[in-house]
Structures are given as structure tokens and as C-alpha cells.
Amino acid sequence: GMITVEITMMHWQGLTDLSPASYTPLALVNSDPAGFTVRADSPYKSVKEVLDAAKANPGKMKASGTGQGGIWHLALARLLNDLKIPQTTIPWVPSNGAAPAMQDLVAGGVDVVTCSLPEARALIEAGKAKPLAVRDDKGAALLPNGPTRQQANGVYSVVAAWRGIAAPKG
């Protein structure tokens, strides 16, 4: 059957006894790296500018993209951890997924969304949101001249949502 990145997280949250060890992976269907997106009218032109502003005013800037502990929350947490920035610098606002998080971004409820660029595509193409980076080792079609996460802040780590085909263990 189909499995997703969440199988690697749900057992840590006590939601299931299933874990990656419960399956035999057969194929990767796709992988969507995390993006770093702000409102189109945001004054920030780079991830560094966002992080500098957040460090200057800890707790004032908010981010979203998924529920607490979901893949897009982990993307932000990993970025902050890699740069030794306290997690409380940019508080996470849980949402029911990327679509509601992007709507909240456009409405001004949050300042950053870390979902994949394909999930943010409609609002990017509508001119309501602008991607600043993609968390991958190569660029993205929605950000052809934009930086990868390593180019944006000197930290290399790929964070992506993935979907795959797996069978029960063995």
C-alpha cells in the first residue's frame, strides 16, 4: 500500500505502534521538499532577512504549515536548530495542513509557511505569496532562480514530505 512520511513520526507521538520497521519499502513515488514562503507584500527578500528579524524580535513572528510535530513543523524546527536559534524565536501555529496555513499567511495571521512549493503554488502564481528558498539540494520549478536552503543560509539539510509504496515487513 501507500505510505507517507508521517509513518516515521506518528509512533513517536504515541499515535500508532506502526513504525518504519513495520514495513518493507518497495518504491518511492515522490518527494516534495520544504519551501520557505512569505506573503508577497512581505519586506523580506531572503531567509536570512526573516531570521535576522525574528532574532531581533523573538516570538513576534509566527510560522505554520501543518499540525504540531508534522513534517513542515519539523522543517522549521530543524532549520532553527541547525542555526542554533531557539525554537521560541518563531512560534509554530498548528494548522490542518498547508492550504489553511497558506490562507493564514495571506490573511496576515502568520509570517512564514514552510510547506512544499507545490502546495503553495496557487497563491504563489496568484501573486499573493513569494517563496524565498526550497529545502533541497537543487532548485525548484516555482523558484527557478531562487536559492536552495544551503545557499540561503549556509546550512545543508534536505527536509521533504514523501510518498511511497510498501508491503508489510518481510
Side-chain angles (χ1 to χ4, degrees), residues 55-90:
K55 289 187 287 186
N57 297 289
K60 296 212 177 194
M61 195 172 285
K62 308 250 183 300
S64 191
T66 190
Q68 189 82 17
I71 189 64
W72 305 137
H73 181 209
L74 295 180
L76 178 67
R78 173 82 185 263
L79 172 65
L80 296 176
N81 189 60
D82 286 349
L83 295 172
K84 303 197 181 351
I85 299 171
Q87 298 294 317
T88 55
T89 303
I90 305 177

Side-chain angles (χ1 to χ4, degrees), residues 61-139:
M61 195 172 285
K62 308 250 183 300
S64 191
T66 190
Q68 189 82 17
I71 189 64
W72 305 137
H73 181 209
L74 295 180
L76 178 67
R78 173 82 185 263
L79 172 65
L80 296 176
N81 189 60
D82 286 349
L83 295 172
K84 303 197 181 351
I85 299 171
Q87 298 294 317
T88 55
T89 303
I90 305 177
W92 188 257
V93 177
S95 69
N96 286 327
M102 287 300 297
Q103 291 169 348
D104 201 15
L105 176 76
V106 170
V110 297
D111 305 284
V112 174
V113 171
T114 55
C115 71
S116 72
L117 296 184
E119 291 173 303
R121 175 182 220 123
L123 291 172
I124 292 169
E125 289 179 347
K128 303 286 185 185
K130 64 180 173 183
L132 299 181
V134 63
R135 190 98 179 234
D136 199 4
D137 56 0
K138 57 185 183 270

